[in-house]
Amino acid sequence: SHLHDGVRYVPVRADDGGGGEAAPLQLVGLLLCVFVRAELAPHVRGVSSETVKTGLGGVVGNKGAIALRFELHGESLCFVTAHLPSGSGAEKKEHRNAAMREVLKALAASFAAASPTPLPPPLEHSACWLLGDLNYRLTLPDTEVRWRVWCRDWRALLMADQLFAQLRGEPGATTF
């Protein structure tokens, strides 16, 4: 357990099946650690974790995702950290989109096959947090980005954010 500002936190981990404490979830450069207040730990149920490798066609784990899902007081929570392909340009953005779709599809299939009770897909939990090195870019030249930051013009930066357009389903944005 960990202490922060007088509050004790404990890690949420899937049972490793061997009766011991499971190791943190890792995949090459990804690490996913989820903590809850110690007094909430007895209310955590149905903890499960999955990894999805997307590097070199799913052969290596240099890219991919880790998911941890559980229920807390009857609400299903899912945490996904991902490392998506990098690079600028429309083609690279589509590679990121495809990788994210692959991750979500693989997690949904794995969750559906869970024993003894199938689990909902990641985005159908009560809440799902998606984080990590997503590698989406701003579609502005470097000098303009620096100027917009200096001017604190956050709206212009947000409007040039590939991920923001993706999530809003703007024209030309392929949905996950």
Side-chain angles (χ1 to χ4, degrees), residues 146-158:
R146 291 173 188 274
W147 172 253
R148 300 284 181 177
V149 169
W150 189 85
C151 293
R152 300 167 102 44
D153 187 356
W154 311 127
R155 180 156 176 72
L157 293 171
L158 190 58

Side-chain angles (χ1 to χ4, degrees), residues 108-126:
S110 180
F111 285 0
S115 179
T117 307
L119 304 169
L123 300 180
E124 292 180 21
H125 282 67
S126 300

Side-chain angles (χ1 to χ4, degrees), residues 69-105:
R69 64 87 49 203
F70 59 94
E71 293 176 14
L72 178 62
H73 289 300
E75 298 293 333
S76 60
L77 308 176
C78 185
F79 296 83
V80 180
T81 184
H83 187 192
L84 301 180
S86 62
S88 58
E91 182 179 324
K92 296 296 185 176
K93 182 187 75 162
E94 288 309 314
H95 287 152
R96 284 187 282 283
N97 294 344
M100 193 70 245
R101 283 191 299 274
E102 180 182 343
V103 162
L104 291 173
K105 182 179 177 183

Side-chain angles (χ1 to χ4, degrees), residues 24-169:
L25 302 169
Q26 291 185 276
L27 179 70
V28 185
L30 289 175
L31 172 68
L32 179 61
C33 298
V34 177
F35 293 84
V36 297
R37 288 175 167 239
E39 65 268 17
L40 293 175
H43 305 285
V44 171
R45 304 268 188 273
V47 180
S48 63
S49 63
E50 293 295 333
T51 59
V52 177
K53 297 176 183 178
T54 60
L56 295 177
V59 177
V60 296
N62 65 320
K63 301 282 191 252
I66 304 170
L68 178 74
R69 64 87 49 203
F70 59 94
E71 293 176 14
L72 178 62
H73 289 300
E75 298 293 333
S76 60
L77 308 176
C78 185
F79 296 83
V80 180
T81 184
H83 187 192
L84 301 180
S86 62
S88 58
E91 182 179 324
K92 296 296 185 176
K93 182 187 75 162
E94 288 309 314
H95 287 152
R96 284 187 282 283
N97 294 344
M100 193 70 245
R101 283 191 299 274
E102 180 182 343
V103 162
L104 291 173
K105 182 179 177 183
L107 289 174
S110 180
F111 285 0
S115 179
T117 307
L119 304 169
L123 300 180
E124 292 180 21
H125 282 67
S126 300
C128 181
W129 289 265
L130 175 60
L131 49 124
D133 188 355
L134 304 181
N135 272 312
Y136 284 93
R137 306 292 203 250
L138 294 173
T139 58
L140 297 172
D142 181 70
T143 53
E144 185 173 350
V145 169
R146 291 173 188 274
W147 172 253
R148 300 284 181 177
V149 169
W150 189 85
C151 293
R152 300 167 102 44
D153 187 356
W154 311 127
R155 180 156 176 72
L157 293 171
L158 190 58
M159 293 295 108
D161 184 335
Q162 289 177 340
L163 182 57
F164 185 69
Q166 195 67 36
L167 294 173
R168 289 186 55 193

